[in-house]
Each structure stands twice: as structure tokens, then as C-alpha cells.
Amino acid sequence: MKERGIKGVRFIINLTEKGANTLSDADRNEILKRLLIFSSLSKDELAELSKLAIERSFKSDEFVFWEGDAPDYFYIVLEGRIKVVKHSSS
């Protein structure tokens, strides 16, 4: 069986307007440290993980990902809201 790995972390900054968002390395590390899933990581581990982070903004009603997409990224929503919808065949 082939193992899949996470390619990176995506920080979703603003869900209402697109624009350039820039978090400092210290901000990224602090955000990750505050999340329970990453709270036990060392400073060095947090720094390595934050290097993988990509900042993204989305417009209202823009899709972040589709069902069936490869699970390559771990999304962290910093601002705004996301609606998750699962469509059924019926």
C-alpha cells in the first residue's frame, strides 16, 4: 500500500476578499502552537511545519476543495467561515 503524505499547510486568511496576506514566521509558529494537534511540537518542528504553509484568500462562494481531491493539504481557517457540503446522488 502506498503511503500519502501531507504536502503542506494552507492558512486560509480571509474568506471575503482576495489579496496579499503575509504572516510573519513568528505569527505562523504561534498559530500552529495554539492548535491542539500541534501543541506538543518543539520550536524547531513548528518552524519546519510553518515553512510548508501557504497563505490563501477566497471570495465568498469560492470552492476551497472538492470531494475526492487528494488529501495533500491541512487547512487552517484563520478568519471567516467555511461551509462543508456533501452532495448525494439522490
Side-chain angles (χ1 to χ4, degrees):
M1 178 192 300
K2 183 179 176 185
E3 266 188 55
R4 294 190 58 93
I6 298 293
K7 290 182 181 175
V9 176
R10 288 193 175 166
F11 290 106
I12 300 176
I13 307 300
N14 188 324
L15 295 172
T16 56
E17 51 182 86
K18 287 196 174 220
N21 298 293
T22 54
L23 291 169
S24 70
D25 291 342
D27 288 340
R28 289 176 184 218
N29 290 349
E30 185 60 32
I31 290 164
L32 292 171
K33 186 171 73 173
R34 284 186 283 154
L35 298 171
L36 183 60
I37 193 169
F38 301 125
S39 62
S40 65
L41 296 180
S42 70
K43 275 184 152 182
D44 290 340
E45 290 168 326
L46 288 169
E48 285 297 313
L49 185 59
S50 74
K51 287 178 189 175
L52 299 174
I54 300 167
E55 296 175 48
R56 293 280 318 267
S57 294
F58 293 87
K59 291 181 181 176
S60 182
D61 295 329
E62 187 175 357
F63 289 94
V64 176
F65 61 87
W66 294 92
E67 182 176 5
D69 284 354
D72 293 331
Y73 294 93
F74 184 92
Y75 291 89
I76 298 170
V77 180
L78 298 180
E79 187 178 309
R81 297 181 308 179
I82 285 189
K83 182 190 325 184
V84 177
V85 178
K86 178 167 176 66
H87 294 281
S88 66
S89 59
S90 56

